[in-house]
Amino acid sequence: GAIIMLGTGATAPTALLSSMGYPTEEYDLHINFPGGAPVDGPSAGAAMTLVAVSALTGRAVDGCSAVTGEITVHGAVKAVGGVPDKVAAAKAAGLTRVFIPRENDAETLHASGVEVVCVSTVKELLSAMLTGEETVSQGPEAPQMTALPVAAQGEFDIPAVTAGTNA
């Protein structure tokens, strides 16, 4: 089978995708976080899972939204630190929606000027953030690469997160 490399905290996304029926064993999937990219360890679990499913299915990711959240092998999206700063960074980057763990919900986040959407499961996140129909065929003829919108590639000046607030 293929080796799936998803970066920091990759065990949960790999096990979860396989348990959800995605053909992870048929692909060599590598998600690269270039040096200096604003990646936050477990907080990137939801985003890594989202882009992996996008690559496996050919469905595009909503490029106007940001996402944060730790995931479990059972598909729960768990609370992370620094959510107010992450919502502010999404707004500064020009994004219109931010998906956060339901456990992180706070009234002040909804007054941030961006739509804050709370999710409890990876299925909720995938349903809301993936667009279009599946286009990747099963097997070796599948595309080798899926491009992400510029916002997902870290091309914006994102305000620094205050030390000690990261998960």
Side-chain angles (χ1 to χ4, degrees), residues 81-108:
V83 171
D85 292 327
K86 293 170 184 176
V87 170
K91 181 179 180 177
L95 302 177
T96 58
R97 286 192 308 176
V98 180
F99 289 84
I100 66 168
R102 189 167 308 284
E103 295 171 0
N104 283 113
D105 193 18
E107 191 173 319
T108 55

Side-chain angles (χ1 to χ4, degrees), residues 1-165:
I3 296 174
I4 299 177
M5 300 180 296
L6 294 172
T8 305
T11 304
T14 302
L16 176 62
L17 292 175
S18 181
S19 73
M20 292 175 73
Y22 292 104
T24 57
E25 69 284 347
E26 296 178 22
Y27 298 94
D28 288 323
L29 180 62
H30 177 82
I31 300 172
N32 184 42
F33 296 107
V39 176
D40 195 16
S43 293
M48 291 187 328
T49 302
L50 177 66
V51 298
V53 171
S54 174
L56 290 169
T57 64
R59 293 179 67 192
V61 174
D62 174 2
C64 296
S65 297
V67 60
T68 190
E70 183 173 353
I71 64 162
T72 70
V73 294
H74 300 291
V77 179
K78 304 302 285 179
V80 294
V83 171
D85 292 327
K86 293 170 184 176
V87 170
K91 181 179 180 177
L95 302 177
T96 58
R97 286 192 308 176
V98 180
F99 289 84
I100 66 168
R102 189 167 308 284
E103 295 171 0
N104 283 113
D105 193 18
E107 191 173 319
T108 55
L109 297 174
H110 296 276
S112 63
V114 295
E115 179 186 1
V116 175
V117 180
C118 300
V119 293
S120 299
T121 68
V122 169
K123 286 184 180 183
E124 288 176 73
L125 179 66
L126 296 175
S127 175
M129 286 200 67
L130 292 175
T131 63
E133 298 296 320
E134 290 190 18
T135 59
V136 174
S137 58
Q138 303 294 321
E141 68 279 0
Q144 298 297 313
M145 182 176 73
T146 298
L148 297 177
V150 172
Q153 297 175 15
E155 296 294 327
F156 293 95
D157 291 325
I158 308 282
V161 176
T162 308
T165 61

